[in-house]
Amino acid sequence: MLGKAQTKSMNLFKSKNNLLLFLIIILAITLRFIWLDKIPPSLYSDEAGQGYNAYSILKTGKDEHGVFLPVSLRSFGDWKPSLPTYLMVPFIYVFGLNEISVRLPSAILGVGSILILFYLIREMLPRIKGLNKIALISCLFLTVSPWHILQSRSAMLVIISLFFFESGVWLFLLGLRKKYILILSSFMFVLSIYSYYGMRIITPLFILFLLIYYRKKILFTGRSTVIAVLLGLLLMLPLGISFLNESDVVLGRAKTVSVFYDQGVRLTQWKLITQDGIDAPPLITRFYHNVVYMYANRIIKNYLTHFDPQYLFVFGDTSPPFQIPGMGILFLTEGILIIIGSVVLMKHRYPFRWLFFVWLCLSLLPASLTFMVPASNRTFNAVVIYVFLSSLGTYYLYRKIKYKRVSAILFSVILILSTIYFMNQYFLVLPYKHADWWNYGWKETVQKVAKIQKNYNDVIVSDINGMPYIYFLFYQQYDPKKYQNTALRTYVADRFGFEHVEGFDNYYFPNNLYFDDVIKNLQPKTIYIIPSSQVKGNIRSFDTIYYPDGKPVNRIITHE
Amino acid sequence: MKRVVFLALILFLATVLRFFRLDTVPPLFQSSSFLPRLVTAIVSIVNVYLTCRLSVRYSDKVKVGLLSAFFMGILPWTLEESRVYSSVNNGLAILLAGNFFWLKFRTRWIKIFTAIISLSVFFFVYQDIWFLKNFQLISILSFRDNLFRLLSPQMWFFNNITFYHGGLREWGMVYISMLPLLILGLIKSYNRKNKFLYLVFLILSLISAMSPFFPESREFFLTTPILSFFIGKGFYVLISEKKVIYSLITFILLLLIVYEISQLLHFYYNHYPLNVRESADKIYEPF
């Protein structure tokens, strides 16, 4: 006789939807967990930084700067939102400080975001025909989405914020029917703000939109809404207080990547005013060449860059860790499907269409305020909308097309081939040919140095190519308490806004260490680590670290 | 009567924009002469008129026709092409006239005859079209890249580089403030009658993307009447709404459009001639 649990699980899979969803989740887990420690080929400096800070909090309750349970992590002077780091703590406790424990929260919540999407779409589109099919297709598309897989397999903050944001929206919609769930929704939205910088703009604006758009239904929820809002404000208090103590907590890196930090606009203004000549009336010159118009133009240009087909389908992001070699962030076939889905959405005047429209528009806003565009990580929230529109387009086409079976097979073949191409590029080409995008080489360097270190007094590392100090801390699992007390820092930011570490213990990380200077002044009993690209001539070195494709990364030079 | 007055005003505006300082902006170089430029300016006014007539035909609304003509008269790209010697601008007039007569005549054989004549004259006038100038097939990847570049927001609203050294490369094909109108018009225009416009737009995009000279290739200019139609239709939809919020949006958009036009005119008469003078040695075609 079958037990209750067995009967229940069998009943669960009797529903075709549940079975298909289960299979999709299995696929999602496979694509996100397999070789998680090796692909991407190395921890990026941000990942190592978060991992070490999580380790430091686990061991001492303080981050690398000695701040007790920080609301924001100062890290490299970029003041990272802290929640993704805190999520790593239990994994580091169980699995130790390594690549797996750093990336596991992203992988798990990446899968979670796919599951949430299914319920979110069903809640958003309650009475539409083919609802379950659209939801399942969306989940499938998100599962194999190159953009989503890239972010799920790295600790870059945005997948965490997406999960909480999606949950917040889903629970909000659920809460319109079941009042007290609104409180949970508020909690999720707050967690999204603690997960990523951009959510500090997106989440409040989106909540405002939800409150206005659903104002009639909100009125009936009464006390629950009030509690939800108060809870949200209460949970935001720590961030608010931190901001009052240190404005960089909220503004953080925003200052150095902001479009207002870039001098290009001012230079263009100067050029145009000069061309107008000294005889031009100042009022006319100001009317036409004013910074308000010029910055507005620039911001709109940045915003629309994210719709550039070359960015979406051919080249993708230009920042190395967010690039997938040989492709964009979406499959080429998705382009047509997105257009069809958009037309269907607008043409049928579905009431929920504004929800998607506002979600998409707000997702692109934070990135538009920076000068590094297009940016796939800063606009990551948009992946849900693109995937939904693709699935809507797919479903609509399927209903309209005559030869359904043939079309379905053809489409499946195209999707499979696209996914195989992506997997080749991501799992084979990226780690082999583009390991440099992920600051490859530091783990191997640290391990090599660790073997010989006891025979030398000092280790001098050229502070180029990522933040080498963090890799020494991470891979040596350096005692956080000792580091907090011995770290040499000036807290002076470089031109990109990053704060470097001068050294700790017997490790030194000079910013302008050049090979010519090193060779002239070799110190006894010292290990030097210099990028191989700088090394000239035949210098005898202890070891050379290579990229997987055989090109040299770092040279380890020893001097007795 | 009111419609005639409005059309006259629109044509008058188009005339002023095309003839004001036509001999000096852009500067005439030794290799260029004024007469071809004058002809292009006159033809472009005809284009504005034909855009109006055709838009009325496709939308069955006079207001849409008038609005389309207005936008056709003020777009950055039409302004740029109407003030230099432009074979594509002149060829466009032939196509528009051909389309107009195609719609006018009901007899099939007359329609076909009209199409043959207008296409023949078109290719005679616009001999710079890439497959007549230098036929060569490009790779599928180049075609894809060209097409994506052609459809990019950069090209449409910020940097039209189809005539890099002699054109308004600091401006797009249309004004950025027209984007909401364009999207609205694209969505609202779609019906059985207007499918033709979408098809023509698609074909012209593909032809332009296939050009081996891309982006220095102005075939896509032939879509400007279609773009004007969509923008005009979008504006018409907006002003037809009775709610206060739509009136407010319309008002704000109008202000922005007017400001952008003034920006363009200031740039065109003050900065553009300086840029063109710097690149004079790189302009090889009649200007």
Side-chain angles (χ1 to χ4, degrees):
Chain A
M1 293 292 283
L2 292 172
K4 257 190 184 172
Q6 280 175 305
T7 315
K8 202 176 177 182
S9 63
M10 280 175 68
N11 286 338
L12 197 69
F13 289 119
K14 268 188 183 168
S15 157
K16 202 164 89 173
N17 291 329
N18 288 344
L19 177 63
L20 287 170
L21 183 62
F22 175 73
L23 291 172
I24 289 171
I25 296 298
I26 293 294
L27 177 62
I29 290 171
T30 309
L31 289 173
R32 280 150 185 77
F33 283 75
I34 194 166
W35 301 314
L36 190 58
D37 55 336
K38 293 185 178 52
I39 314 286
S42 162
L43 283 180
Y44 197 66
S45 48
D46 287 325
E47 293 181 290
Q50 286 179 78
Y52 186 75
N53 276 284
Y55 179 69
S56 179
I57 290 168
L58 175 67
K59 294 290 185 193
T60 66
K62 298 176 185 176
D63 70 352
E64 63 174 290
H65 297 271
V67 177
F68 180 71
L69 295 180
V71 171
S72 273
L73 291 167
R74 189 169 191 142
S75 191
F76 310 133
D78 52 347
W79 295 95
K80 289 184 180 61
S82 57
L83 182 58
T85 303
Y86 283 112
L87 289 175
M88 290 177 195
V89 171
F91 296 100
I92 293 171
Y93 178 75
V94 172
F95 299 110
L97 182 61
N98 52 49
E99 289 88 345
I100 295 271
S101 52
V102 165
R103 290 175 175 167
L104 261 179
S106 296
I108 291 169
L109 293 187
V111 174
S113 66
I114 296 167
L115 191 60
I116 295 287
L117 181 65
F118 179 78
Y119 295 105
L120 173 61
I121 288 176
R122 275 159 50 120
E123 200 61 42
M124 268 177 165
L125 287 58
R127 280 177 288 278
I128 192 175
K129 195 177 174 180
L131 169 65
N132 285 323
K133 287 192 176 73
I134 294 170
L136 285 170
I137 298 170
S138 298
C139 289
L140 177 63
F141 282 179
L142 196 62
T143 297
V144 299
S145 161
W147 197 2
H148 195 268
I149 292 173
L150 180 83
Q151 295 292 357
S152 299
R153 295 180 62 94
S154 56
M156 296 293 197
L157 313 179
V158 291
I159 192 73
I160 311 281
S161 67
L162 177 70
F163 173 82
F164 289 119
F165 184 77
E166 265 188 302
S167 305
V169 178
W170 171 49
L171 291 168
F172 177 88
L173 295 173
L174 206 58
L176 294 176
R177 294 189 286 118
K178 301 172 186 176
K179 290 186 288 189
Y180 288 100
I181 295 179
L182 281 175
I183 298 165
L184 200 54
S185 166
S186 173
F187 181 62
M188 288 296 172
F189 277 132
V190 169
L191 291 183
S192 75
I193 292 175
Y194 278 100
S195 301
Y196 185 61
Y197 314 96
M199 304 313 288
R200 292 164 187 174
I201 297 175
I202 295 172
T203 302
L205 288 175
F206 196 74
I207 291 172
L208 186 65
F209 163 75
L210 288 175
L211 291 175
I212 295 170
Y213 192 67
Y214 292 102
R215 61 191 178 281
K216 288 180 184 157
K217 289 186 181 176
I218 289 279
L219 283 172
F220 290 104
T221 58
R223 208 166 46 176
S224 309
T225 305
V226 175
I227 297 171
V229 169
L230 287 174
L231 175 71
L233 291 171
L234 189 70
L235 292 172
M236 290 300 298
L237 261 180
L239 196 60
I241 292 168
S242 303
F243 174 64
L244 291 171
N245 291 332
E246 172 66 68
S247 60
D248 280 349
V249 163
V250 169
L251 298 173
R253 199 149 128 67
K255 283 198 297 197
T256 51
V257 299
S258 159
V259 70
F260 303 106
Y261 188 74
D262 181 26
Q263 295 303 304
V265 170
R266 294 274 180 184
L267 285 170
T268 305
Q269 184 195 32
W270 174 84
K271 178 188 164 190
L272 291 170
I273 289 173
T274 309
Q275 281 185 344
D276 275 346
I278 54 170
D279 296 328
L283 206 63
I284 297 289
T285 307
R286 279 240 172 103
F287 181 75
Y288 289 116
H289 308 308
N290 59 83
V291 287
V292 172
Y293 171 73
M294 295 181 88
Y295 274 119
N297 199 286
R298 178 73 188 270
I299 289 168
I300 295 170
K301 188 177 183 179
N302 289 350
Y303 191 91
L304 292 178
T305 306
H306 295 94
F307 294 105
D308 189 333
Q310 289 196 304
Y311 155 69
L312 292 172
F313 307 112
V314 181
F315 301 122
D317 204 312
T318 48
S319 293
F322 306 116
Q323 275 181 309
I324 304 163
M327 63 181 291
I329 54 174
L330 302 175
F331 293 126
L332 203 55
T333 43
E334 285 183 87
I336 302 158
L337 297 172
I338 287 170
I339 293 170
I340 295 170
S342 307
V343 170
V344 169
L345 197 66
M346 300 311 289
K347 270 283 198 190
H348 286 83
R349 301 179 78 96
Y350 293 125
F352 50 80
R353 68 191 189 279
W354 293 111
L355 202 73
F356 293 106
F357 179 68
V358 171
W359 184 324
L360 178 63
C361 287
L362 288 178
S363 299
L364 307 178
L365 195 54
S368 309
L369 300 173
T370 71
F371 61 81
M372 287 148 62
V373 287
S376 64
N377 63 319
R378 293 192 184 107
T379 56
F380 186 59
N381 266 25
V383 70
V384 168
I385 305 304
Y386 286 133
V387 148
F388 169 72
L389 290 173
S390 305
S391 66
L392 191 64
T394 305
Y395 180 71
Y396 179 80
L397 262 184
Y398 179 75
R399 280 179 56 198
K400 290 283 177 188
I401 259 170
K402 264 187 183 170
Y403 305 104
K404 290 194 182 342
R405 197 163 279 181
V406 171
S407 308
I409 293 169
L410 187 65
F411 181 76
S412 304
V413 166
I414 293 171
L415 185 64
I416 291 168
L417 287 175
S418 302
T419 308
I420 290 172
Y421 175 75
F422 158 69
M423 287 172 68
N424 176 70
Q425 297 302 103
Y426 183 75
F427 286 97
L428 296 176
V429 175
L430 172 69
Y432 182 71
K433 280 195 172 160
H434 303 286
D436 57 313
W437 291 354
W438 286 84
N439 292 341
Y440 181 89
W442 287 114
K443 179 180 181 178
E444 293 74 14
T445 304
V446 172
Q447 286 171 345
K448 294 265 183 188
V449 167
K451 287 180 188 163
I452 58 166
Q453 205 172 329
K454 58 180 184 294
N455 302 323
Y456 296 84
N457 294 336
D458 297 318
V459 180
I460 299 180
V461 186
S462 176
D463 189 13
I464 297 170
N465 189 21
M467 292 282 191
Y469 87 91
I470 201 68
Y471 293 100
F472 279 87
L473 292 173
F474 187 97
Y475 288 111
Q476 292 188 347
Q477 298 187 30
Y478 194 85
D479 180 358
K481 192 163 185 177
K482 196 175 168 192
Y483 174 72
Q484 287 159 24
N485 294 326
T486 60
L488 297 169
R489 324 176 81 111
T490 60
Y491 288 107
V492 172
D494 65 15
R495 60 196 175 104
F496 299 110
F498 294 119
E499 295 163 357
H500 296 255
V501 166
E502 307 299 321
F504 63 91
D505 204 340
N506 61 338
Y507 295 96
Y508 301 94
F509 305 93
N511 211 284
N512 298 310
L513 182 71
Y514 298 109
F515 176 71
D516 292 335
D517 301 327
V518 165
I519 285 304
K520 283 180 204 161
N521 299 296
L522 283 171
Q523 301 294 314
K525 289 283 186 186
T526 304
I527 300 171
Y528 293 89
I529 296 159
I530 297 169
S532 295
S533 55
Q534 277 192 17
V535 174
K536 295 170 203 167
N538 288 322
I539 177 84
R540 197 181 71 86
S541 51
F542 171 76
D543 209 335
T544 303
I545 308 299
Y546 295 93
Y547 288 118
D549 64 357
K551 293 198 183 93
V553 185
N554 287 329
R555 285 279 197 105
I556 302 172
I557 300 167
T558 54
H559 187 63
E560 304 299 334
Chain B
M1 184 62 195
K2 234 172 32 176
R3 299 164 190 176
V4 173
V5 170
F6 276 123
L7 182 58
L9 284 170
I10 289 166
L11 290 173
F12 175 72
L13 174 66
T15 306
V16 168
L17 290 173
R18 276 145 186 77
F19 282 88
F20 181 64
R21 290 171 64 188
L22 183 61
D23 56 337
T24 52
V25 180
L28 270 171
F29 303 122
Q30 277 180 340
S31 57
S32 321
S33 82
F34 182 67
L35 187 60
R37 195 181 274 196
L38 182 66
V39 168
T40 305
I42 294 167
V43 170
S44 74
I45 297 165
V46 173
N47 287 343
V48 172
Y49 173 74
L50 287 170
T51 300
C52 176
R53 294 299 298 267
L54 284 166
S55 299
V56 171
R57 284 269 184 174
Y58 281 108
S59 64
D60 296 323
K61 298 237 181 315
V62 174
K63 277 186 185 168
V64 174
L66 290 170
L67 288 166
S68 305
F70 171 71
F71 289 120
M72 180 71 177
I74 60 165
L75 288 180
W77 205 3
T78 56
L79 218 58
E80 174 203 306
E81 289 295 323
S82 63
R83 293 178 63 93
V84 296
Y85 167 67
S86 172
S87 56
V88 66
N89 181 82
N90 299 340
L92 177 63
I94 307 299
L95 284 182
L96 289 175
N99 189 207
F100 177 76
F101 289 114
W102 169 281
L103 291 170
K104 194 177 174 65
F105 297 125
R106 294 195 185 278
T107 316
R108 195 173 177 184
W109 70 266
I110 297 180
K111 278 178 176 298
I112 295 170
F113 181 71
T114 307
I116 294 169
I117 293 292
S118 53
L119 279 172
S120 307
V121 176
F122 168 74
F123 286 120
F124 176 74
V125 169
Y126 183 35
Q127 293 182 20
D128 289 330
I129 198 164
W130 68 268
F131 47 82
L132 291 181
K133 199 171 166 183
N134 184 3
F135 181 84
Q136 46 175 294
L137 290 173
I138 57 175
S139 69
I140 210 110
L141 287 179
S142 297
F143 170 73
R144 177 202 66 184
D145 291 343
N146 289 350
L147 188 64
F148 284 170
R149 209 161 166 195
L150 191 64
L151 299 176
S152 67
Q154 178 94 354
M155 189 78 133
W156 279 53
F157 303 108
F158 301 103
N159 296 107
N160 176 4
I161 51 172
T162 53
F163 186 19
Y164 190 82
H165 294 295
L168 278 167
R169 62 175 182 265
E170 293 84 356
W171 287 80
M173 300 173 186
V174 301
Y175 300 103
I176 182 65
S177 46
M178 289 179 179
L179 176 59
L181 302 175
L182 185 61
I183 294 171
L184 196 57
L186 267 167
I187 294 167
K188 293 293 183 182
S189 297
Y190 190 77
N191 57 39
R192 193 182 286 178
K193 199 176 181 181
N194 294 339
K195 266 187 198 174
F196 172 70
L197 294 177
Y198 291 82
L199 184 64
V200 168
F201 182 84
L202 182 67
I203 292 170
L204 287 171
S205 306
L206 296 175
I207 290 174
S208 307
M210 285 166 69
S211 168
F213 307 107
F214 191 90
E216 283 285 335
S217 174
R218 289 177 264 179
E219 286 81 14
F220 199 64
F221 179 77
L222 297 170
T223 64
T224 45
I226 300 175
L227 294 177
S228 305
F229 173 75
F230 289 141
I231 296 168
K233 176 76 182 193
F235 194 81
Y236 174 76
V237 167
L238 212 54
I239 58 175
S240 301
E241 293 285 340
K242 301 287 178 223
K243 290 183 185 169
V244 173
I245 183 79
Y246 289 109
S247 302
L248 186 64
I249 292 168
T250 308
F251 177 69
I252 292 169
L253 274 176
L254 258 177
L255 279 178
L256 292 171
I257 290 170
V258 168
Y259 183 65
E260 266 205 282
I261 295 169
S262 72
Q263 279 278 357
L264 174 74
L265 292 175
H266 170 83
F267 185 89
Y268 186 80
Y269 287 104
N270 292 286
H271 303 280
Y272 168 61
L274 299 172
N275 295 345
V276 166
R277 274 203 193 93
E278 279 173 21
S279 310
D281 56 331
K282 297 185 188 83
I283 301 170
Y284 304 114
E285 52 207 274
F287 192 58

